[in-house]
Amino acid sequence: MKDENKDMKEMKIQIDLDDVTAQGAYCNFAIVNHTDSEFVVDSIYLQPMQPKAKVRSRVIMTPRHAKKLMNALAENIKRFEENFGAIPDDVAGLDNHELIH
């Protein structure tokens, strides 16, 4: 069992990124929901002066991976702010609860 854990830690994962996915999808609004077993993050692009928006992508993950994502974002935001200055908490005049639910 000990050797199996060592092999798992040393295993490298190759990640393929096709051209369409590599383009990404811009979003300026996110809705986060959860159940006892998963988190769902819907990424949305809100166009100015448009009352309707469409979900551009949906990511479903376990609570454990959601927490890892939260920590990774926190670390990257910290590094960003060290290099470029503080990101305002009040983005575009909206409160946090209006951006992420």
Side-chain angles (χ1 to χ4, degrees):
M1 182 79 173
K2 194 172 187 179
D3 290 333
E4 288 176 20
N5 287 339
K6 183 180 176 187
D7 291 340
M8 290 294 286
K9 288 180 184 177
E10 293 177 5
M11 181 178 68
K12 295 189 181 196
I13 299 172
Q14 181 178 351
I15 299 172
D16 291 326
L17 182 62
D18 63 67
D19 292 340
V20 173
T21 304
Q23 293 298 310
Y26 178 79
C27 85
N28 57 4
F29 189 81
I31 297 174
V32 180
N33 291 297
H34 68 276
T35 65
D36 63 333
S37 62
E38 63 190 18
F39 277 73
V40 178
V41 181
D42 288 330
S43 300
I44 300 162
Y45 172 56
L46 290 174
Q47 295 185 35
M49 306 304 293
Q50 296 293 319
K52 190 173 181 179
K54 187 174 182 180
V55 173
R56 297 252 175 130
S57 68
R58 171 172 279 183
V59 177
I60 304 167
M61 63 187 84
T62 65
R64 184 175 179 182
H65 283 96
K67 191 164 189 176
K68 287 182 180 185
L69 175 61
M70 179 190 71
N71 290 334
L73 283 171
E75 178 60 31
N76 277 272
I77 288 170
K78 178 183 169 196
R79 288 185 209 156
F80 178 92
E81 291 183 326
E82 287 171 355
N83 289 317
F84 303 106
I87 301 169
D89 288 332
D90 184 18
V91 180
L94 299 175
D95 291 332
N96 235 7
H97 71 278
E98 294 176 45
L99 290 173
I100 301 175
H101 298 275

